[in-house]
Amino acid sequence: MDLNFTDAELAFRAEVRDWVRANLPADIAHKVRNALRLNKDDLQRWAKILGAKGWHGWAWPKQFGGPGWNAVQRHLFEEECALACAPRIVPFGPVMVAPVIMAFGTPEQQQRFLPGIMSGEVWWSQGYSEPGSGSDLASLKCRAERQGDKFIVNGQKTWTTLGQYGDWIFCLVRTSTEGKPQTGISFLLIDMKTPGVSVKPIIMLDGEHEVNEVWFDNVEVPAENLIGEENKGWTYAKHLLSHERTNIADVNRAKRELERLKRIAKAEGLMDDQRFRDQIALCEVDVVALEMMVLRVLSGERTGKQPLDVAGLLKIRGSELQQRYTELMMLAGGPLALPYVHEAMEAGWRGDQWLGGAWIGGAMHAIPLTGNYLNVRKTTIYGGSNEVQRNIVAQTVLG
């Protein structure tokens, strides 16, 4: 394995770094750096900037309008975006559904849907999980009945991240009850403005509206929105999930957040505490180890060797690491991290004025810490719980 970047790759990194820092809006970078609330405008504004450059689909091949970057270039792009405090690109369009449309969609579907994803104009949501069907996704019950040239969809999806902003949603729906559960699932694209689609908020433990329920009540979906063959959706779903779990590892964000942890610890005077410094050091070692795992995969792809299927391992380690560093941040803030004020997540809020100065000693960096900690408890559950992922790794990697 060669884990060193070539001169050409380092030159590419410099080009990306210069462009991102010149084009990333300062107000958005400020919010990301300080873990403040990002709204739809923030996320879509950055998506459109990338789209105008042809980089919103940074992992796409040239034949579909992407830059045609190799795996190393994609990694370097993601790292430079993270280190510049760019928002994480909402993955449902460019990272998840787009590869499925490219691999299994018709030319007409590719021409219809891919341009809007690349430009950042069309917001996609994911319709996979249901009550009782999360990690055991094959048990899903949302039903789509074929009637001529359309499907009639009835049922529910849940934990739909940012679904309140969605224009379209890609869904796994049950089209047959015969045979194994996996054999009766289809992959359907649904316009969320269609009559019968309703989105209901789920307010999380941190008080944020991030996820939703999506209900389908006799929703008519043109049959031309079916991806691939009917009852073959499980194959397409597995193709998508391999992209999702790799994306969840998010080692580049972990490197950025490690630096935020150090800033907070320094501000709170904890860099003089040997035990706390040890915890930061352990976290940093795990970040480096995760990065080495990612680079190992990249090295294999660069040399044409097929690496082991480590998507599950990346998901496990990446999600646990997110929980580790958010917990350390909260511990660094101590009692000052405890107050939760919904308005405090907005840029420009003055913590020292809260309740007439009752939050004595409170610092801006302490505002989001407990909320972040509570929110990140989910990472070991979504995208396939880590318990399930360990079973998959045992079967596919260890044999």
Side-chain angles (χ1 to χ4, degrees):
M1 291 184 296
D2 182 3
L3 303 185
N4 295 311
F5 295 115
T6 66
D7 290 342
E9 288 164 350
L10 292 174
F12 173 83
R13 178 202 284 275
E15 176 189 349
V16 170
R17 177 187 299 139
D18 291 344
W19 186 89
V20 170
R21 295 187 179 183
N23 290 275
L24 175 63
D27 61 317
I28 296 178
H30 170 77
K31 289 183 178 182
V32 173
R33 178 179 173 82
N34 294 285
L36 300 176
R37 182 184 293 121
L38 293 165
N39 56 37
K40 180 182 180 181
D41 176 69
D42 295 326
L43 296 169
Q44 203 155 27
R45 190 159 35 120
W46 178 233
K48 290 178 180 179
I49 291 171
L50 290 171
K53 179 69 171 176
W55 287 1
H56 191 232
W58 73 100
W60 296 14
K62 288 184 178 180
Q63 71 185 92
F64 292 112
W69 292 338
N70 60 35
V72 175
Q73 290 172 315
R74 297 195 296 268
H75 171 76
L76 293 173
F77 168 78
E78 293 166 6
E79 181 169 71
E80 289 305 322
C81 285
L83 296 179
C85 294
R88 186 180 181 210
I89 298 170
V90 179
F92 308 115
V95 177
M96 296 185 185
V97 74
V100 174
I101 295 172
M102 292 176 195
F104 306 106
T106 65
E108 291 76 17
Q109 289 171 332
Q110 293 165 357
Q111 293 169 12
R112 179 183 178 189
F113 294 111
L114 293 179
I117 298 175
M118 172 60 85
S119 69
E121 296 285 342
V122 180
W123 190 296
W124 281 83
S125 300
Q126 181 182 28
Y128 270 27
S129 295
E130 299 177 10
S133 299
S135 295
D136 181 22
L137 195 55
S139 66
L140 63 87
K141 297 179 176 61
C142 185
R143 177 82 179 175
E145 182 181 355
R146 182 72 177 259
Q147 293 184 6
D149 61 353
K150 62 187 176 184
F151 288 93
I152 306 299
V153 181
N154 284 281
Q156 178 189 4
K157 296 293 179 180
T158 195
W159 308 126
T160 308
T161 304
L162 302 178
Q164 69 269 32
Y165 303 146
D167 299 308
W168 282 77
I169 185 170
F170 56 91
C171 286
L172 292 181
V173 293
R174 184 157 301 284
T175 45
S176 174
T177 56
E178 298 179 3
K180 294 182 179 180
Q182 292 92 334
T183 61
I185 293 172
S186 297
F187 196 104
L188 208 56
L189 310 181
I190 302 175
D191 185 341
M192 295 186 73
K193 297 183 290 296
T194 306
V197 178
S198 57
V199 179
K200 300 180 181 180
I202 299 173
I203 305 303
M204 301 294 286
L205 190 60
D206 62 350
E208 294 295 308
H209 176 195
E210 183 182 20
V211 294
N212 305 267
E213 298 175 325
V214 181
W215 292 84
F216 303 93
D217 183 11
N218 290 320
V219 176
E220 296 186 4
V221 180
E224 64 188 24
N225 290 4
L226 174 71
I227 294 293
E229 298 179 46
E230 193 169 328
N231 300 325
K232 296 291 182 67
W234 190 252
T235 299
Y236 316 144
K238 289 191 295 183
H239 181 80
L240 183 151
L241 286 172
S242 68
H243 291 267
E244 181 190 25
R245 287 167 187 155
T246 304
N247 192 256
I248 286 173
D250 214 352
V251 63
N252 301 311
R253 181 168 62 168
K255 292 171 70 174
R256 183 189 70 212
E257 293 301 286
L258 180 63
E259 293 306 310
R260 186 160 77 95
L261 169 60
K262 292 177 182 178
R263 292 198 307 272
I264 293 170
K266 184 176 181 179
E268 295 295 335
L270 287 170
M271 292 306 274
D272 296 327
D273 185 311
Q274 181 66 51
R275 295 179 66 185
F276 199 85
R277 285 208 315 272
D278 287 347
Q279 291 303 310
I280 294 177
L282 288 172
C283 194
E284 187 158 17
V285 168
D286 282 345
V287 170
V288 173
L290 181 62
E291 183 177 28
M292 290 302 103
M293 189 186 300
V294 171
L295 293 177
R296 177 186 175 191
V297 174
L298 296 178
S299 177
E301 292 187 14
R302 184 165 58 187
T303 58
K305 297 178 181 178
Q306 291 296 326
L308 292 172
D309 182 6
V310 296
L313 286 171
L314 290 171
K315 194 276 174 176
I316 292 167
R317 297 304 296 151
S319 59
E320 291 177 346
L321 187 54
Q322 288 182 55
Q323 293 182 345
R324 286 262 307 283
Y325 63 65
T326 53
E327 181 177 9
L328 286 173
M329 290 180 192
M330 183 187 68
L331 291 174
L336 296 177
L338 291 178
Y340 177 76
V341 182
H342 197 260
E343 295 78 9
M345 294 299 293
E346 294 291 344
W349 185 79
R350 294 294 305 277
D352 56 353
Q353 295 179 359
W354 180 54
L355 292 182
W359 195 36
I360 299 173
M364 289 300 294
H365 65 249
I367 293 168
L369 297 183
T370 294
N372 290 167
Y373 168 81
L374 295 173
N375 184 280
V376 170
R377 298 301 95 191
K378 69 191 179 190
T379 61
T380 49
I381 300 173
Y382 66 44
S385 73
N386 284 13
E387 291 78 8
V388 171
Q389 290 303 315
R390 286 187 171 88
N391 287 338
I392 294 172
V393 169
Q395 294 169 2
T396 61
V397 177
L398 302 180

